[in-house]
Amino acid sequence: MTRDPLIRAWGWLVALSLAGALITRAPDVTGLAVVILGLAFAKAWLILHHYLGLAGAPSWRRGFDMVVAGFCLLLAALALLA
Amino acid sequence: MSQRPDDPPGLLDELPGEVMMWVLIISELLVFGAGLVAFMAMRLTDPAGFAEAQAHLHRAGAALNTVVLVTSGLLAAWAVHAAEAGREARKRALLAGAMALGVVFLVIKGMEYADKASQGIGIETNTFFTFYYLLTGFHAAHVVAGVVLLGLVAVLRDPRATETGAAFWHMVDLVWVLLFPVIYLIR
């Protein structure tokens, strides 16, 4: 296992991207959109924390986490309403 | 009021890189965020029509583009470390790699647009494709800008410039990982 947090973040990003694409092959069940948006939030979290360096800026990290999570929840609500 | 040397660091000092780049990042996220919320709101008016239109999209190509962009982001992040360590040749090589992957993203996107055009699908075909072209096209324009910016910071011997260019590139990455599932995956 690599010690470079950037490689670990990249590995997770690739894995989550493939998971997001593969999950759409599953039957179209209610709530699939929530899972897809959950994966999107996890990818955004990795980019903000590791690529953009917010891991070292706790106040900003919390703010961005809350806003992106709220945004994904809003999209999930709109997806479930359709 | 100016800050004295013994003052504790402020909230803005906590941010990595240039504050103005973060202002740009937040502005861009708000613009794309509004576009994606509008897309999902319009989907409520015609879920079947949106699902039918979405079936014309090439999910595998878009998923491949996600891997291309996040890999490009890794190279840009490494380039910042190389610049901070004063390793100019390594920094330039990593930024060249990041730019090359940005071009690969644009080529795949161009193939996708060409495929749509061959099917007679354009920006005025229906509401779904209006949003599709506006959002993905605006994002592709940011990829072009990012490639140019990475090229500019590659020739500057300034680690802050590299960090600023890489931050813009990561913003392009961040927008894509939110745009991709909304446009291509959610049925």
Side-chain angles (χ1 to χ4, degrees):
Chain A
M1 186 82 174
T2 177
R3 288 186 182 181
D4 185 343
L6 286 174
I7 292 186
R8 280 205 302 272
W10 171 80
W12 276 109
L13 283 166
V14 171
L16 291 168
S17 300
L18 296 177
L22 288 175
I23 209 167
T24 57
R25 292 175 182 270
D28 194 9
V29 294
T30 306
L32 195 62
V34 178
V35 177
I36 290 169
L37 286 165
L39 293 173
F41 172 74
K43 284 186 278 184
W45 186 93
L46 286 162
I47 290 169
L48 284 166
H49 287 226
H50 296 287
Y51 281 11
L52 276 164
L54 286 187
S59 306
W60 289 96
R61 187 183 64 208
R62 279 192 295 276
F64 270 91
D65 285 351
M66 281 194 291
V67 171
V68 176
F71 175 68
C72 289
L73 284 172
L74 173 61
L75 293 179
L78 289 169
L80 291 176
L81 280 172
Chain B
M1 213 164 81
S2 62
Q3 192 178 20
R4 290 177 305 185
D6 54 347
D7 282 347
L11 194 58
L12 288 178
D13 298 318
E14 213 182 78
L15 272 176
E18 291 289 337
V19 171
M20 280 315 292
M21 183 51 75
W22 281 98
V23 172
L24 179 65
I25 288 171
I26 292 169
S27 307
E28 297 284 357
L29 289 176
L30 288 173
V31 169
F32 277 102
L36 291 174
V37 168
F39 172 85
M40 291 300 284
M42 289 305 293
R43 182 172 171 264
L44 292 174
T45 64
D46 181 18
F50 269 53
E52 194 277 325
Q54 193 195 49
H56 291 275
L57 300 186
H58 201 281
R59 285 185 179 136
L64 175 64
N65 253 351
T66 308
V67 175
V68 167
L69 262 197
V70 299
T71 305
S72 178
L74 173 68
L75 299 183
W78 275 341
V80 173
H81 291 188
E84 287 166 350
R87 299 174 68 185
E88 279 297 308
R90 179 174 162 80
K91 178 199 86 175
R92 285 183 185 154
L94 288 165
L95 288 176
M99 290 165 65
L101 288 174
V103 172
V104 169
F105 178 93
L106 291 170
V107 168
I108 294 172
K109 181 59 62 190
M111 289 164 65
E112 191 181 323
Y113 286 160
D115 178 54
K116 298 292 155 295
S118 71
Q119 295 177 49
I121 296 171
I123 195 166
E124 292 181 348
T125 298
N126 56 36
T127 309
F128 177 92
F129 280 109
T130 301
F131 274 97
Y132 162 81
Y133 278 110
L134 286 177
L135 289 168
T136 63
F138 193 42
H139 178 265
H142 281 75
V143 174
V144 173
V147 169
V148 172
L149 188 58
L150 291 180
L152 287 174
V153 299
V155 296
L156 297 173
R157 284 180 171 272
D158 178 4
R160 291 283 286 185
T162 307
E163 189 175 28
T164 302
F168 182 87
W169 195 241
H170 298 319
M171 180 273 291
V172 171
D173 233 355
L174 180 59
V175 168
W176 179 255
V177 300
L178 295 170
L179 190 153
F180 165 59
V182 173
I183 303 281
Y184 290 84
L185 301 183
I186 293 176
R187 283 175 283 179

